[in-house]
Amino acid sequence: WTLRMATLPNSQSNTAKTTAIVKIVCREAGNCGEDIIEAGINLRPHVRECLTQCGQKYQVGVFTASHREYADAVIDLIDPDGTLINFRLYREHCFETAEGIFIKDLRVIRNRELKDLILVDNSVFSFGFQLNNGVPIIPYFNDPNDQELVYLA
């Protein structure tokens, strides 16, 4: 397996709809055409408020097991001005197990100490290599009364 290494950039009330459709351009290697896929997403309540509050004290990034095209479409919806999220890591930065589980190995971040990183995720598998850095959060299932990000911030 191969992990792509990453170098993070130096450190430096939102009321949007919680349901959106994003258009994703999928480009396959060797295929000269492009497919555009529409995907429905549900933003967890208070996502922008949480990112804003956390961003006042910490460098905030997204480390996702999703494909880059999908992740970028969602992140751009959450942070259209690029002011809330400082960096992005994708599926290609993850370790894939033989069972097809993607683990977010924080060691791919070369210019930070592990002691200075946390990973918030609804899947404990995601931070399986660094359990001490993991902050579990319950999964989100389109509950408009969800308060998890209020508690997190």
Side-chain angles (χ1 to χ4, degrees), residues 14-35:
N14 301 302
T15 56
K17 291 192 284 185
T18 59
T19 302
I21 304 294
V22 293
K23 291 188 178 186
I24 304 158
V25 178
C26 296
R27 297 175 183 93
E28 293 186 23
N31 183 355
C32 59
E34 292 182 351
D35 291 327

Side-chain angles (χ1 to χ4, degrees), residues 8-12 55 58-62 79 82-88:
L8 303 185
N10 291 325
S11 296
Q12 303 178 7
Y58 310 104
Q59 186 176 36
V60 176
V62 172
D79 185 14
T83 58
L84 301 175
I85 297 169
N86 303 106
F87 66 91
R88 303 172 184 200

Side-chain angles (χ1 to χ4, degrees), residues 21-93:
I21 304 294
V22 293
K23 291 188 178 186
I24 304 158
V25 178
C26 296
R27 297 175 183 93
E28 293 186 23
N31 183 355
C32 59
E34 292 182 351
D35 291 327
I36 297 178
I37 298 170
E38 290 188 353
I41 63 162
N42 295 306
L43 299 181
R44 192 170 206 148
H46 311 289
V47 64
R48 290 184 183 96
E49 293 91 337
C50 179
L51 292 171
T52 298
Q53 193 169 354
C54 289
Q56 292 173 1
K57 293 183 179 182
Y58 310 104
Q59 186 176 36
V60 176
V62 172
F63 194 165
T64 179
S66 295
H67 291 285
R68 181 182 295 256
E69 293 83 5
Y70 174 76
D72 281 341
V74 173
I75 295 167
D76 290 345
L77 178 70
I78 294 168
D79 185 14
D81 299 324
T83 58
L84 301 175
I85 297 169
N86 303 106
F87 66 91
R88 303 172 184 200
L89 299 174
Y90 308 93
R91 179 173 285 204
E92 68 255 26
H93 298 102

